[in-house]
Amino acid sequence: MNLLFVGDIFGSAGRKIVRAHIGHVCQANAVELVVINAENAAGGFGVTPQIAEDLFDLGADVLTTGNHVWDKRELIEYISSAPAGSQERPRRVLRPANLQRGTPGYGVFEGTTHSGVGYAVVDLMGRVYMTGTNDPFEAIDGLLAAIQAKVIVVDFHAEVTSEKVAMGWYLDGRVTAVLGTHTHVPTADERVLPGGTAYQTDVGMSGPYDGVIGVEKDLVLHKFLTGMPGKFEAAKGNPKMCATLVTCDAASGRASAVQRIMLGE
Ligand SMILES: [Fe+2]
């Protein structure tokens, strides 16, 4: 079976380019499972319930997030509205699994595709140069012990390449895919590791590439050049959808192929 992971949607430019491409990519590849990282979908900061609903309408099965998950406070009520066993849309919006105890929402979703394949999606956040997270390696061990599905997709939302590469090796043979997000620049290291886990350090942002990781370049340059604070706004130019297509065996969850996708206007 084929699954598609769409990298961090950034702002309206990101939403628009994903809307333009996701349908034909899924159709051409008979995609059965669509996971989208949506944590920057609302103007670069968080995701609103309405945008989440729009992404589900486009075909997303599960939405993942990261350090920006609480930027739009209305999302807290949305994801808190679903009980743990629910299959409804609010339950399919994940926050990182290894946040501090007492955090609302869930970091894992288990569901079934239209053809009856059980799957799990895990949202995990790194600890190096990031705050508020517990040890992701310890966290994933506990989560995997409880997951029933064989097809398991891990979004590893982390800052540094070394932590991401290490997680790929740690989970090789134990999950279907470890796909990195957060740094917004796609990496060319996609591969299937020897144990059958598809890996990529960063899927890349689905958003405006004529900016600085999604933000208007002049605003970011001003901050670097003067050290003065300023309001960041989402860029618009040169939008691209970055996604990664993983082919795996539905029965074992073992990946056999991984392909990087980047589509512009
Ligand atoms: Fe992030």
Side-chain angles (χ1 to χ4, degrees):
M1 81 175 242
N2 285 337
L3 65 91
L4 187 74
F5 186 101
V6 178
D8 319 38
I9 296 186
F10 199 102
S12 58
R15 302 201 305 271
K16 195 172 166 205
I17 197 74
V18 169
R19 199 178 308 126
H21 288 304
I22 193 166
H24 73 81
V25 169
C26 286
Q27 198 163 19
N29 296 287
V31 168
E32 263 197 62
L33 172 62
V34 177
V35 181
I36 300 179
N37 185 299
E39 77 146 2
N40 304 119
F45 297 95
V47 55
T48 63
Q50 184 57 56
I51 290 173
E53 291 283 331
D54 292 346
L55 295 174
F56 286 123
D57 287 343
L58 285 180
D61 294 293
V62 180
L63 302 180
T64 55
T65 59
N67 52 309
H68 287 289
V69 60
W70 310 127
D71 285 3
K72 296 286 180 279
R73 297 191 59 80
E74 56 267 43
L75 192 75
I76 300 172
E77 194 182 343
Y78 181 75
I79 70 174
S80 301
S81 68
S86 170
Q87 298 279 309
E88 298 301 311
R89 286 175 165 186
R91 179 64 185 81
R92 293 166 179 261
V93 181
L94 302 179
R95 48 85 168 159
N98 55 326
L99 296 182
Q100 288 171 266
R101 220 192 309 221
T103 306
Y106 304 94
V108 182
F109 177 76
E110 280 204 75
T112 309
T113 69
H114 292 302
S115 74
V117 178
Y119 67 87
V121 178
V122 180
D123 191 340
L124 202 62
M125 200 159 105
R127 191 161 60 157
V128 182
Y129 299 142
M130 298 187 113
T131 55
T133 45
N134 297 316
D135 180 356
F137 296 89
E138 188 182 347
I140 192 68
D141 283 344
L143 296 168
L144 290 178
I147 287 173
Q148 305 290 317
K150 297 289 186 197
V151 175
I152 303 171
V153 179
V154 177
D155 174 349
F156 193 34
H157 197 81
E159 193 75 65
V160 300
T161 51
S162 58
E163 193 179 19
K164 288 166 145 177
V165 173
M167 184 62 77
W169 287 117
Y170 190 61
L171 295 181
D172 184 25
R174 301 166 69 193
V175 305
T176 305
V178 176
L179 299 169
T181 58
H182 178 70
T183 48
H184 292 191
V185 179
T187 58
D189 62 340
E190 76 281 6
R191 62 183 285 199
V192 178
L193 298 173
T197 295
Y199 175 80
Q200 187 181 3
T201 298
D202 205 289
V203 174
M205 159 186 81
S206 292
Y209 277 75
D210 280 356
V212 178
I213 63 169
V215 176
E216 268 300 339
K217 57 184 182 297
D218 292 343
L219 303 176
V220 179
L221 278 169
H222 180 261
K223 184 168 184 184
F224 274 118
L225 294 173
T226 66
M228 295 302 289
K231 195 175 186 302
F232 281 174
E233 283 170 29
K236 294 271 183 273
N238 194 20
K240 293 185 189 301
M241 180 178 96
C242 278
T244 297
L245 182 71
V246 175
T247 304
C248 70
D249 179 65
S252 67
R254 217 182 142 93
S256 55
V258 58
Q259 186 193 333
R260 182 160 41 96
I261 294 168
M262 186 189 237
L263 296 169
E265 283 178 313

